[in-house]
Amino acid sequence: MNNLKKDKSIKLTVSEFARLHKINKRTLHYYDEIGIFKPKYKGENGYRYYDYRQGVDFEYIKMLRELNIGLEDIKKYLDNPNENYFCLLANKKLKDIEKSIEILKKKKDIIYDKIKKLEKCKEIRRNNNIEIINCEEEKLLLTPFEFKDYSEEENIKRIAEHINSIWSIEDYCRGIGSFISVDKILNGETEDYDGLFIQIPPNINSNRVTIKPKGEYICAYQIGNWNNLPDIYSEIIEYAKKEKLNLVGNSYEIGMNDFAISDMNEYITKIMIKIER
């Protein structure tokens, strides 16, 4: 009886312990090697064995890893566990989690925006009319860019090189547009663009931000490649004259479905110009 009381442990091989805790046994070997979590017993045959009661400690380590706490920090804590250091680790991780949540929210908003644009594209193909819409204020980042007499493919390449040099992927994943002054459009200079822009979230503040003002805008859509844009601008000008509207500021063009097509004939460009009555 005394012997039974003395040793109530259940010894587990590395494979058994790994299977029990649903982890790769290579991870256990690595934890043993760096001193984070070692088997309690070593048999006469040289094999190492875990005490099943070590599982509680191991699950705690797993929890810390699932919180993305680094192995170095975990080892430091396990070597000298104390309340202050744990709180330090926890607060640091909370900040990281909040940052991750913010990034995921941005990605979610971008995905929703892409879905809405594609749904609008279906509507445009059925009924592509010039319309007047009310727009809220938008924040844009502008950059000058000269569209020269290159081929369409060459201009796309030049645009890609330019935006990569000034904006990050996080900046421009919402979409990249071009802008041109109304004065140029009225003078028939519809290919002499002033630059590029990206939309940014309303909570971003920067001295580089340009405000696209709230108000009424003429909105039109071009289906197909960019060569037919001058014809759309002629239609917009005629529409504005007929409705006695003044075109002001810039015309903003942005692709609606560039991320979801393989043929430029399916490309849909949204054109927006502020109006005054």
Side-chain angles (χ1 to χ4, degrees):
M1 290 290 290
N2 287 336
N3 287 337
L4 286 174
K5 284 182 181 179
K6 253 184 211 181
D7 188 6
K8 291 183 180 179
S9 65
I10 298 174
K11 298 182 180 68
L12 301 171
T13 65
V14 174
S15 294
E16 289 169 336
F17 194 87
R19 192 160 51 249
L20 180 64
H21 293 279
K22 298 177 182 176
I23 195 167
N24 193 305
K25 66 180 183 179
R26 292 193 190 94
T27 301
L28 290 173
H29 286 310
Y30 182 62
Y31 285 2
D32 181 11
E33 182 183 326
I34 63 176
I36 280 184
F37 187 73
K38 289 180 170 293
K40 189 171 182 179
Y41 303 107
K42 185 175 181 181
E44 293 179 2
N45 55 7
Y47 291 143
R48 294 176 172 237
Y49 298 90
Y50 294 93
D51 187 319
Y52 81 98
R53 288 170 293 196
Q54 287 183 270
V56 175
D57 293 334
F58 184 74
E59 286 299 322
Y60 184 69
I61 292 171
K62 268 181 71 178
M63 179 197 74
L64 295 175
R65 286 298 291 139
E66 285 167 4
L67 292 173
N68 284 329
I69 294 176
L71 291 175
E72 187 177 335
D73 285 330
I74 291 174
K75 187 175 188 310
K76 188 175 177 181
Y77 174 72
L78 293 176
D79 288 343
N80 183 28
N82 64 80
E83 295 176 2
N84 289 337
Y85 189 60
F86 181 84
C87 288
L88 185 69
L89 278 179
N91 285 320
K92 179 184 174 185
K93 188 45 58 181
L94 281 174
K95 289 178 182 177
D96 291 342
I97 290 171
E98 289 295 334
K99 187 175 180 181
S100 296
I101 290 171
E102 188 61 33
I103 290 170
L104 287 173
K105 281 182 178 177
K106 287 179 182 177
K107 290 180 179 178
K108 180 182 175 183
D109 290 343
I110 290 166
I111 290 171
Y112 273 132
D113 180 63
K114 302 291 186 190
I115 291 171
K116 281 171 62 180
K117 282 179 178 176
L118 292 181
E119 288 173 347
K120 182 65 177 176
C121 287
K122 293 176 184 176
E123 181 186 324
I124 292 162
R125 292 188 186 100
R126 292 193 300 267
N127 183 23
N128 184 18
N129 295 324
I130 295 174
E131 58 184 345
I132 296 175
I133 60 174
N134 285 298
C135 294
E136 294 299 318
E137 178 185 285
E138 275 190 87
K139 290 183 176 180
L140 307 176
L141 291 181
L142 307 183
T143 178
F145 183 81
E146 188 177 352
F147 288 76
K148 295 184 179 178
D149 294 329
Y150 293 114
S151 66
E152 192 172 278
E153 292 78 11
E154 186 64 25
N155 265 324
I156 290 172
K157 181 181 176 184
R158 290 176 61 243
I159 289 169
E161 290 172 350
H162 182 71
I163 61 176
N164 282 323
S165 69
I166 58 169
W167 295 321
S168 68
I169 292 175
E170 290 77 13
D171 287 330
Y172 63 75
C173 58
R174 290 175 179 272
I176 302 160
S178 55
F179 65 96
I180 180 172
S181 73
V182 164
D183 290 341
K184 288 181 179 178
I185 292 168
L186 295 175
N187 288 330
E189 302 167 18
T190 53
E191 296 182 9
D192 188 13
Y193 286 85
D194 294 298
L196 304 169
F197 72 89
I198 56 173
Q199 299 164 312
I200 60 173
N203 60 334
I204 299 295
N205 292 309
S206 167
N207 55 12
R208 298 187 299 140
V209 167
T210 297
I211 300 298
K212 179 169 163 278
K214 176 180 179 179
E216 287 187 307
Y217 283 75
I218 278 184
C219 183
Y221 300 92
Q222 155 68 25
I223 301 175
N225 64 44
W226 300 325
N227 295 332
N228 296 325
L229 281 169
D231 295 334
I232 294 294
Y233 277 119
S234 294
E235 291 180 29
I236 291 172
I237 292 168
E238 286 304 311
Y239 178 88
K241 285 179 181 177
K242 181 182 175 183
E243 299 297 326
K244 297 180 180 178
L245 305 171
N246 292 320
L247 305 176
V248 296
N250 293 316
S251 172
Y252 296 96
E253 300 176 10
I254 192 163
M256 297 286 287
N257 61 347
D258 50 322
F259 51 90
I261 60 167
S262 56
D263 185 347
M264 274 300 289
N265 289 321
E266 299 173 11
Y267 190 91
I268 296 179
T269 304
K270 181 180 182 180
I271 303 162
M272 297 184 69
I273 306 175
K274 195 171 188 307
I275 59 170
E276 291 178 351
R277 295 182 182 271

